[in-house]
Amino acid sequence: MTEVSSLTGRLLVATPALTDPNFTRTVVLLLDHDDEGSLGVVLNRPTPVGVGDVLQDWADLAGDPGVVFQGGPVSLDSALGLAVVPGDKGGVPGGEGPLGWRRVHGAIGLVDLDAPPELLAAELGTLRIFAGYAGWGPGQLEEELDDGAWYVVESEPGDVSSPAPEGLWRAVLRRQRSELAMVATYPDDPSLN
């Protein structure tokens, strides 16, 4: 098997050519990527369901908008928490972070939603709750990348907690220092252009 270069912590930004309704105009943060497959969450699909409606204990820690996000088409009945831990514990590679939080990349990490929220409350900068996730089997994501379905770009901690998630696709593309910035102007419906 060929070695897979890890894309953990990077963003997959759907190209305009990706028409799968599960991923059209999505921004996916990769939480894990190796030769066994990939796992990520869609950062820009808020649902109308409030965090307090499903995880009351975590509602006060959830950032704006305080809703559950659809993390992807897999396991929609499960919840996953992502949080940014600012300062030395979250941003420094050697910093372990608070109990109940596991670093994914930089200051971004997974939250143990079975832990008491009080354990993390003082340490978390932002928290987002996701229903489900996006998953790819071994080599599947690489095939999609070869087919031109995704742009791969660097993530920023603010991507996880964007207060305007519906505009994240354009915002991430717009900040690129390449021709990708122009893709942000691509119309929602090219036939109207």
Side-chain angles (χ1 to χ4, degrees):
M1 176 167 275
T2 59
E3 185 178 325
V4 173
S5 175
S6 181
L7 298 176
T8 299
R10 301 200 56 203
L11 297 177
L12 298 177
V13 181
T15 68
L18 182 57
T19 58
D20 177 338
N22 290 307
F23 296 108
T24 302
R25 300 261 172 142
T26 58
V27 176
V28 177
L29 175 66
L30 282 176
L31 304 175
D32 192 26
H33 176 252
D34 57 27
D35 58 1
E36 295 180 21
S38 304
L39 181 136
V41 289
V42 175
L43 297 178
N44 59 333
R45 291 269 170 93
T47 72
V49 178
V51 172
D53 295 338
V54 290
L55 291 169
Q56 179 60 46
D57 292 344
W58 291 96
D60 290 341
L61 297 177
D64 284 334
V67 297
V68 175
F69 282 67
Q70 184 175 339
V74 182
S75 293
L76 290 172
D77 58 345
S78 65
L80 188 143
L82 264 186
V84 174
V85 173
D88 292 343
K89 287 187 177 178
V92 175
E96 291 182 28
L99 190 62
W101 179 84
R102 182 178 59 84
R103 179 184 320 284
V104 170
H105 177 75
I108 303 166
L110 288 165
V111 173
D112 178 358
L113 296 174
D114 290 328
E118 310 80 58
L119 220 75
L120 295 139
E123 305 280 350
L124 298 185
T126 59
L127 171 70
R128 220 12 76 92
I129 303 295
F130 298 88
Y133 62 91
W136 294 264
Q140 186 179 6
L141 178 57
E142 288 74 19
E143 286 177 25
E144 291 182 17
L145 291 171
D146 288 344
D147 290 343
W150 301 99
Y151 302 120
V152 179
V153 301
E154 295 298 323
S155 64
E156 295 181 1
D159 295 334
V160 172
S161 58
S162 172
E166 297 87 351
L168 190 61
W169 184 84
R170 289 189 194 283
V172 168
L173 288 170
R174 198 174 296 120
R175 74 177 184 229
Q176 302 310 306
R177 299 181 184 268
S178 65
E179 63 277 353
L180 285 184
M182 292 297 295
V183 178
T185 65
Y186 198 84
D188 292 336
D189 185 351
S191 67
L192 299 176
N193 198 5

